[in-house]
Amino acid sequence: MGAVLVFEADLEKQGFGGLGVMQASILGWVKESKPKKRAKVAYFFQMDIPEIMLPDLKTAGPFRKNDLVSEGALPKEVWKVLLARGAVKPYYIKPDYPRGG
């Protein structure tokens, strides 16, 4: 995905030149947005938790002290409560490096 350069001559060939909508300032670069790599998060449990009641009334668990659990395993609301109560600590996993290692 790069950038696109638009010329006035190309627009005239396609029938857009006489509309008056596009002017001489049409020459320029239009950048496409790239998704940013975000650090992924996993959580270390700081205590044993036998069961957690989820918002949809299902249960999850048991979780033992020093378990490492990925962010997608539980809903965000549950992680917020566990963080606020000190039951878990976040562990940020950095995106892969382009050259490995």
Side-chain angles (χ1 to χ4, degrees), residues 41 43 45 49 51-56 58-61 63 69-80 82 88:
V41 181
Y43 294 95
F45 276 84
I49 298 179
E51 276 190 342
I52 297 174
M53 181 69 70
L54 302 177
D56 59 357
K58 293 181 181 177
T59 58
F63 299 101
V69 181
S70 66
E71 185 178 27
L74 296 173
K76 289 183 181 182
E77 300 89 17
V78 174
W79 289 122
K80 286 180 185 178
L82 292 172
V88 295

Side-chain angles (χ1 to χ4, degrees), residues 20-54:
V21 176
M22 312 217 178
Q23 308 222 345
S25 64
I26 196 67
L27 294 176
W29 290 94
V30 179
K31 293 185 179 179
E32 296 177 10
S33 63
K34 294 182 182 178
K36 293 183 180 179
K37 287 189 177 181
R38 207 179 103 193
K40 295 182 180 168
V41 181
Y43 294 95
F44 274 116
F45 276 84
Q46 300 298 307
M47 59 184 71
D48 291 342
I49 298 179
E51 276 190 342
I52 297 174
M53 181 69 70
L54 302 177

